[in-house]
Amino acid sequence: QVVEYFENFCKIIEPPVKNKKEGLAGDEKLVYSCLDLSPRHFQVILEATGLSLPRLAQVLLQLEQKEWITQPVEGFYVLRRK
């Protein structure tokens, strides 16, 4: 139900500006490109990127610290509106 709520919420707000990913490099770009305003579970991102589990965790943390993404619910990631 929580995921469904966020999916519906995300449909009514404007999409993020995707061209801002120019400030990202390598794996950050790869992970960022897998995300949008619909919450994606860690496992889905892991499978989509092909990164190792430790590397994906590191990249997600970096993107969160840079405020490019956020976790609306633990284990689910979305792009942060800038």
Side-chain angles (χ1 to χ4, degrees):
Q1 289 180 351
V2 173
V3 173
E4 186 177 306
Y5 167 80
F6 279 102
E7 286 176 347
N8 291 334
F9 174 76
C10 292
K11 289 176 185 174
I12 62 172
I13 60 176
E14 294 178 31
V17 179
K18 282 272 194 174
N19 64 0
K20 288 189 175 186
K21 70 179 179 179
E22 294 161 357
L24 303 175
D27 291 341
E28 289 179 333
K29 272 188 182 179
L30 174 64
V31 172
Y32 184 89
S33 69
C34 290
L35 299 172
D36 55 28
L37 291 178
S38 297
R40 298 254 162 76
H41 190 266
F42 182 92
Q43 186 66 35
V44 173
I45 303 166
L46 185 67
E47 292 169 7
T49 62
L51 296 174
S52 69
L53 191 144
R55 179 63 183 146
L56 178 58
Q58 179 184 32
V59 172
L60 288 168
L61 179 60
Q62 290 170 342
L63 291 171
E64 280 187 281
Q65 290 173 337
K66 292 178 179 182
E67 299 184 347
W68 288 84
I69 66 171
T70 189
Q71 285 188 78
V73 178
E74 186 175 343
F76 288 83
Y77 297 86
V78 296
L79 297 180
R80 181 180 286 242
R81 298 216 8 97
K82 293 241 178 186

